[in-house]
Amino acid sequence: ELSSRFAEDEWSGASLAARAAIDHADDAERALEAAESTAGDPTRSALPDLAAAERALRRAEAEARTLEETHRLVTQAAQAVPGELAAARTALRQATVTREQLDPVDSDRLGAELRVIDAELTEIEVDAARRPTRTIDRIARLRDRLDMALGDARTAQQRIRGARTALPGTLAAARNAVAHAESSVAHTRASADAR
């Protein structure tokens, strides 16, 4: 199933695990046959062969679990890819809205990062269905990169908001200082340069 739907790098680990599980099961079967042949001979012990069979069965079970886990991861990733791509595209659109509210320098910096992320996301989409686990991993990295770019932009945006909030008070203080200076100059015979 995996090999018919996905690229080889997605299922090669599962294939190796399946082969190893079969090999270990064959080893266990040979050890059990050897134990069976010695069971009727009172001069020989079947315990070493039984212990070897048990070890081989444990290894086969471990490989079978690896196979099942790989299959589960790949198929779940394949189911998640469309939603993850859509979520990444939505995050890019929201970042574009944030960009429009920034000052030109920060907007340009965020815009450049958004274009790079968008190009990489478009590249990922081409092979997403064949390489779902790799796609999910790359989308997560792009989302982290987008979050960092937005974090920097939000910091700049917060500075702008802070400046806008402080502006009325700053203007009032400046007007007060100018009025005080005008009052001081008016009561003294200051030169034109002092005024």
Side-chain angles (χ1 to χ4, degrees):
E1 179 192 357
L2 294 178
S3 65
S4 67
R5 292 179 57 195
F6 305 111
E8 184 176 352
D9 57 338
E10 292 285 321
W11 54 264
S12 59
S15 178
L16 291 173
R19 283 192 211 107
I22 291 169
D23 290 344
H24 293 310
D26 290 343
D27 291 344
E29 190 174 337
R30 282 191 293 276
L32 287 172
E33 287 171 358
E36 185 180 13
S37 70
T38 58
D41 186 351
T43 61
R44 295 175 50 197
S45 173
L47 290 179
D49 291 325
L50 289 173
E54 186 178 356
R55 285 192 301 274
L57 284 174
R58 282 192 195 133
R59 288 192 292 267
E61 287 173 344
E63 295 294 349
R65 280 192 299 275
T66 299
L67 167 63
E68 290 170 2
E69 182 68 11
T70 303
H71 180 273
R72 185 183 63 75
L73 288 174
V74 173
T75 54
Q76 284 180 349
Q79 292 170 349
V81 162
E84 290 296 320
L85 286 170
R89 288 285 176 203
T90 299
L92 272 174
R93 283 192 295 277
Q94 291 170 344
T96 303
V97 171
T98 299
R99 177 181 175 230
E100 293 168 359
Q101 300 169 3
L102 299 175
D103 63 15
V105 173
D106 292 324
S107 177
D108 290 344
R109 185 172 42 247
L110 180 58
E113 189 68 9
L114 293 179
R115 284 187 293 279
V116 170
I117 292 170
D118 182 55
E120 288 188 33
L121 193 56
T122 300
E123 178 187 323
I124 289 170
E125 284 177 305
V126 172
D127 207 20
R130 298 270 303 143
R131 291 188 161 83
T133 58
R134 188 182 81 167
T135 299
I136 295 293
D137 181 59
R138 289 181 69 188
I139 290 172
R141 292 173 194 271
L142 286 178
R143 293 292 297 269
D144 288 345
R145 187 172 174 180
L146 179 60
D147 287 345
M148 290 186 67
L150 283 171
D152 292 343
R154 284 187 190 111
T155 301
Q157 197 173 23
Q158 288 167 346
R159 286 194 306 267
I160 291 169
R161 276 194 203 119
R164 284 183 182 151
T165 302
L167 184 61
T170 304
L171 287 174
R175 285 188 190 108
N176 186 34
V178 169
H180 187 269
E182 285 176 343
S183 171
S184 295
V185 171
H187 294 333
T188 62
R189 295 183 187 260
S191 66
D193 285 345
R195 284 193 297 274

